[in-house]
Amino acid sequence: MRVVILCGGESPERDVSLASGRSVARALLEQGHEVVLVDPAAAVPVLAGPLRRGDAVDAAGVGKEPPSLTDRQQLRRRMHTALTGGPVLELLRGAELVFLALHGGWGEDGHVQALLEMADVRFTGAGSAECAAAWHKGRAQALLGAAGLPVAERVVWRPGAREVPQDVARLVAAGPVVAKPVADGSSVSVHRVDSLSQLARIAAEVGAGDTELMVEPFLPGREFTVAVVGDQALPVIEIELTTPVFDYAAKYQPGAVSEVCPARVPDDFASRLQELALRAHRALGFGSGAYSRADFRCDAGGDPMCLEVNALPGLTATSLLPLAATGAGWTYPDLMQRIMNLATR
């Protein structure tokens, strides 16, 4: 099969996406597919291709910090140009399948999916509407809560527009909170906040970028994640933290955090988390042709709360979805083929 892998892009998760794209390419080449590796935000978008079995693909590392806002603006201009005309768009139209390894930004908020839908190009993962529903954490939490899933109280606030709202101040006064952008992935700019003065400093940092913050109570319990591939929930992973929050650096630097799969929890608790992950997957409109990963953290009483659902979870060597697949007895190439089968069946 002729497969174009889209990776890189303009989001803070650019490095993660490049690493995912190269990992996917190696797996697809091993299975005999013809692969073209494309970074639509790069100065030269076609990174490699057409590649066939036996061709080497260099590994890509993940930096300790995401790209700066200035760099991302330049990357976004390049990506817009590449995807709206010219040889990259023609390359996508000529593919039998586009494998989306774009994390964050336009790759996960529905922009790229909408373009591919309009061009009648088959691609992996959820559609544009589902990605948009999952991407905005505040709206996603509202949808999950309306579907009966356990979610924490939250307030969405645009710091550049007004002072700290009373409902945000009330949450901070009641105890520690977590503040994070409503539309970023890989736990970029996630902060534990213990005072209004600390929140004000964070708000000043993000206010210039016209970014909405979501503020919610800090949950002191254990943290878990559950991947769903099609209609199947994979084994539960527990994330054992050495830091207050599971942030960008902890996710992608080896040894920074311990990820246990399968989680050391009673069977009934694991089954409950898997059921919640399936319900969250469906509540946001993800069908049997998509895959996702739902994140949970427990409150002081040990009850899990659904934090978010990831529409295009990472596929690097240290990412959580491949770890869950290993726990299910699948190899990495098996996982990639299953994702492709969901898109092409």
Side-chain angles (χ1 to χ4, degrees), residues 3-299:
V3 182
V4 173
I5 300 171
L6 283 183
C7 61
E10 39 63 67
S11 84
E13 300 176 76
R14 173 177 172 79
D15 280 3
V16 183
S17 178
L18 286 168
S20 285
R22 288 183 165 93
S23 294
V24 172
R26 287 194 294 272
L28 300 193
L29 288 171
E30 181 180 316
Q31 295 176 326
H33 298 289
E34 180 184 302
V35 172
V36 179
L37 197 59
V38 175
D39 174 6
V44 180
V46 179
L47 301 178
L51 300 168
R52 294 178 176 84
R53 179 179 287 179
D55 290 339
V57 178
D58 293 335
V62 178
K64 293 183 178 180
E65 297 289 339
S68 69
L69 179 60
T70 301
D71 288 342
R72 285 159 51 196
Q73 289 170 341
Q74 182 182 27
L75 291 165
R76 179 161 290 192
R77 287 192 291 270
R78 288 177 180 168
M79 188 168 176
H80 178 270
T81 300
L83 291 177
T84 54
V88 170
L89 185 56
E90 291 307 310
L91 189 61
L92 298 176
R93 286 175 170 155
E96 293 179 78
L97 179 69
V98 173
F99 196 114
L100 292 179
L102 289 167
H103 310 311
W106 286 352
E108 200 165 348
D109 69 2
H111 273 82
V112 171
Q113 289 82 359
L115 182 149
L116 295 173
E117 287 164 353
M118 288 188 292
D120 198 25
V121 174
R122 191 178 305 184
F123 59 90
T124 58
S128 59
E130 295 78 29
C131 288
W135 182 238
H136 190 286
K137 295 180 178 67
R139 289 194 286 268
Q141 286 286 77
L143 289 169
L144 294 172
L149 280 98
V151 295
E153 182 182 4
R154 72 266 166 209
V155 178
V156 175
W157 166 43
R158 191 181 298 277
R162 55 194 172 105
E163 298 298 321
V164 177
Q166 289 187 351
D167 44 5
V168 172
R170 175 180 54 80
L171 285 179
V172 176
V177 299
V178 172
K180 55 189 175 184
V182 296
D184 263 332
S186 279
S187 300
V188 173
S189 300
V190 174
H191 301 274
R192 171 177 162 152
V193 178
D194 296 285
S195 67
L196 282 176
S197 60
Q198 183 186 0
L199 182 61
R201 289 195 298 272
I202 294 167
E205 292 174 6
V206 304
D210 196 34
T211 300
E212 287 183 297
L213 281 178
M214 188 169 79
V215 181
E216 59 189 358
F218 173 77
L219 300 172
R222 299 165 73 179
E223 187 155 341
F224 303 95
T225 191
V226 183
V228 173
V229 178
D231 293 317
Q232 181 176 352
L234 302 189
V236 177
I237 298 173
E238 179 169 10
I239 300 162
E240 297 181 346
L241 300 174
T242 58
T243 57
V245 293
F246 191 31
D247 60 9
Y248 181 92
K251 278 191 174 183
Y252 298 107
Q253 300 310 311
V257 69
S258 176
E259 296 158 349
V260 181
C261 182
R264 294 185 287 263
V265 295
D267 290 346
D268 59 344
F269 186 76
S271 296
R272 180 183 176 195
L273 286 172
Q274 290 174 311
E275 178 192 0
L276 289 173
L278 281 167
R279 286 174 56 195
H281 181 90
R282 293 163 182 160
L284 296 180
F286 290 65
S288 58
Y291 63 102
S292 68
R293 201 195 73 236
D295 297 335
F296 301 90
R297 189 152 179 161
C298 296
D299 62 15

